[in-house]
Amino acid sequence: MSENCIFCGIVAGTIPSTQVASDDRAIAFMDINPATRGHLLVIPRTHSTDLREASAEDLTAATLLAQSLVGRVIERLDADGANLLSCIGADAWQSVFHTHLHVIPRYKDDPLQLPWHPTPGDLDEINATAATLT
Ligand code: 5GP
Ligand code: ZN
């Protein structure tokens, strides 16, 4: 439990949330600013700032819960697909610093768009970057 963490408050029940699923390591609840109908957040019960800090057990539990919710939004909300998203760092749009996975149901004609415009990259640059990462 981390003081002043909204999501720890949700786990503790001191901050209200609309939960839809849980197990002993993770819980899933509705996002209050839904990108689409049924937008969910899945969080480990144990506090970690972001995915880098979360334990393998917590990440496994959160990912498996997210997997089951993807199936549920497709079945019960008639979604056509879903996006999973985890933001790591403020520059990557993270605004709540407790590890979470967004489960965003997608519908054929929903207004969401990719936030970048895919254009071919420079192959030398791509390969040089790969070398740095290998
Ligand atoms: P991030 O921007 O860190 O990737 O995602 C944080 C998410 O938490 C946002 O989509 C935001 O709408 C959601 N959120 C922030 N505060 C609350 C809250 O008090 N309750 C719920 N249910 N969601 C919240
Ligand atoms: Zn927390």
Side-chain angles (χ1 to χ4, degrees), residues 13-134:
T14 53
I15 293 177
S17 69
T18 307
Q19 294 187 27
V20 300
S22 66
D23 63 22
D24 55 339
R25 281 193 176 269
I27 67 171
F29 54 94
M30 306 305 288
D31 193 304
I32 43 164
N33 303 299
T36 63
R37 177 168 177 258
H39 183 167
L40 293 158
L41 297 169
V42 181
I43 66 172
R45 290 179 187 274
T46 300
H47 182 85
S48 57
T49 302
D50 63 47
L51 183 146
R52 292 170 299 178
E53 257 185 21
S55 70
E57 293 79 8
D58 281 349
L59 276 183
T60 301
T63 306
L64 291 175
L65 192 52
Q67 180 192 40
S68 80
L69 289 163
V70 167
R72 214 184 278 189
V73 298
I74 289 172
E75 266 176 38
R76 299 195 198 172
L77 300 181
D78 211 18
D80 298 300
N83 288 115
L84 286 190
L85 173 71
S86 189
C87 301
I88 297 150
D91 289 331
W93 309 328
Q94 186 174 9
S95 60
V96 177
F97 292 87
H98 179 127
T99 302
H100 55 281
L101 296 173
H102 295 260
V103 176
I104 306 171
R106 299 304 306 274
Y107 304 91
K108 263 187 190 67
D109 296 319
D110 74 43
L112 297 193
Q113 294 186 340
L114 266 182
W116 67 91
H117 301 288
T119 46
D122 178 87
L123 256 192
D124 289 339
E125 212 277 323
I126 291 170
N127 290 337
T129 305
T132 308
L133 294 172
T134 304

